[in-house]
Amino acid sequence: MTAWAQSAAGWAVDRYEPTPAGDVFFASPFPWYGAPGQSFALRGGLTFDYARNPVVATDASGNSDRAIPIIANMAVLHAQFGVAFARRVGVHLSLPVGLFQDGQRSVGGLASASAPGLGDPRLGVRVRVHGEADRAPVSLHVGADLYVNAGLFGFTRASNLTDEGFRGRMHFTLAGRGGPVRWSFGGGLHFRSEEHTSELQSPCN
């Protein structure tokens, strides 16, 4: 017999954050504001990501031999849209859609989703402070993102793609180009409400 704690409050399992539409890289931002001479530009795209065993429960001792994959496989499609103004300001939207999940069992109210679901849309803005990433060796950009609770659209934590609390972030990006070589580096602060997930208690024989 095994005892389980039931304290799941709803949280976004997927950790992949695609870069805004138009960026050269998929994971590390490389700011885009349109082509030279453009005062207004649009971009869109799709990004697919897959996670293996993103949520695994173990016993109190952490014994991996008794690990139970609550979510064994997770596939998410990200639809991305971007708008650039005056080659200096970019507004972007990223919409995650869960395509597939599976797992072995439900624990404490947390289980793999049985149907596709909508994740928290990410709405952000980014401003070019100095230089242009694709035309200068060094450029500086600052921005902020806000995640809109998908519960406002009727979706719940059952999709494992939405937080029931507040989530947002502030960030900066350093990027540049030297000949054929592009580089970028970023950092910032991520604000997220505390969430309590299910825990596997010590087994009772």
Short mmCIF file of all heavy atoms in Angstrom, two decimals, residues 17 20 59 67 82 84 110 149 190 192:
data_model
loop_
_atom_site.label_atom_id
_atom_site.label_comp_id
_atom_site.label_asym_id
_atom_site.label_seq_id
_atom_site.Cartn_x
_atom_site.Cartn_y
_atom_site.Cartn_z
N GLU A 17 10.62 27.43 -23.89
CA GLU A 17 10.11 28.75 -24.21
C GLU A 17 10.67 29.17 -25.57
O GLU A 17 11.83 29.57 -25.66
CB GLU A 17 10.50 29.77 -23.15
CG GLU A 17 9.90 29.52 -21.78
CD GLU A 17 8.43 29.88 -21.72
OE1 GLU A 17 7.92 30.43 -22.72
OE2 GLU A 17 7.79 29.62 -20.70
N PRO A 20 10.77 34.66 -29.81
CA PRO A 20 9.72 35.33 -30.59
C PRO A 20 9.86 35.07 -32.09
O PRO A 20 10.97 34.83 -32.60
CB PRO A 20 9.96 36.81 -30.27
CG PRO A 20 10.58 36.81 -28.91
CD PRO A 20 11.48 35.60 -28.91
N ASP A 59 9.50 7.29 -4.53
CA ASP A 59 9.15 7.16 -3.12
C ASP A 59 9.99 8.14 -2.31
O ASP A 59 10.84 8.87 -2.84
CB ASP A 59 9.30 5.73 -2.62
CG ASP A 59 10.72 5.19 -2.77
OD1 ASP A 59 11.64 6.02 -2.85
OD2 ASP A 59 10.90 3.97 -2.79
N ALA A 67 10.32 4.56 -9.59
CA ALA A 67 9.80 5.77 -10.21
C ALA A 67 8.59 5.45 -11.08
O ALA A 67 8.56 4.44 -11.79
CB ALA A 67 10.89 6.44 -11.06
N GLY A 82 4.63 37.71 -34.51
CA GLY A 82 5.41 38.87 -34.12
C GLY A 82 5.12 40.07 -34.99
O GLY A 82 4.86 39.95 -36.19
N ALA A 84 6.75 44.11 -35.63
CA ALA A 84 7.83 45.04 -35.34
C ALA A 84 7.47 46.43 -35.85
O ALA A 84 6.89 46.58 -36.93
CB ALA A 84 9.12 44.57 -36.00
N LEU A 110 -2.92 14.70 -10.05
CA LEU A 110 -2.10 15.04 -11.21
C LEU A 110 -2.02 13.83 -12.13
O LEU A 110 -1.71 12.73 -11.70
CB LEU A 110 -0.69 15.45 -10.77
CG LEU A 110 0.28 15.85 -11.88
CD1 LEU A 110 -0.22 17.08 -12.60
CD2 LEU A 110 1.67 16.08 -11.31
N ASN A 149 -3.52 33.54 -18.08
CA ASN A 149 -4.07 32.28 -17.58
C ASN A 149 -5.07 31.70 -18.58
O ASN A 149 -6.09 32.32 -18.89
CB ASN A 149 -4.75 32.53 -16.23
CG ASN A 149 -5.14 31.23 -15.53
OD1 ASN A 149 -5.30 30.19 -16.16
ND2 ASN A 149 -5.28 31.30 -14.23
N HIS A 190 12.20 35.86 -13.50
CA HIS A 190 10.95 35.17 -13.81
C HIS A 190 10.09 35.19 -12.55
O HIS A 190 10.52 34.70 -11.50
CB HIS A 190 11.25 33.74 -14.24
CG HIS A 190 10.08 33.07 -14.91
ND1 HIS A 190 10.21 32.23 -15.98
CD2 HIS A 190 8.74 33.13 -14.66
CE1 HIS A 190 9.02 31.79 -16.36
NE2 HIS A 190 8.12 32.32 -15.57
N ARG A 192 6.73 33.97 -10.63
CA ARG A 192 5.76 32.88 -10.73
C ARG A 192 5.19 32.59 -9.36
O ARG A 192 5.93 32.49 -8.37
CB ARG A 192 6.45 31.64 -11.28
CG ARG A 192 5.52 30.53 -11.72
CD ARG A 192 6.29 29.43 -12.40
NE ARG A 192 5.42 28.47 -13.05
CZ ARG A 192 5.84 27.40 -13.69
NH1 ARG A 192 7.14 27.16 -13.77
NH2 ARG A 192 4.97 26.57 -14.25
#
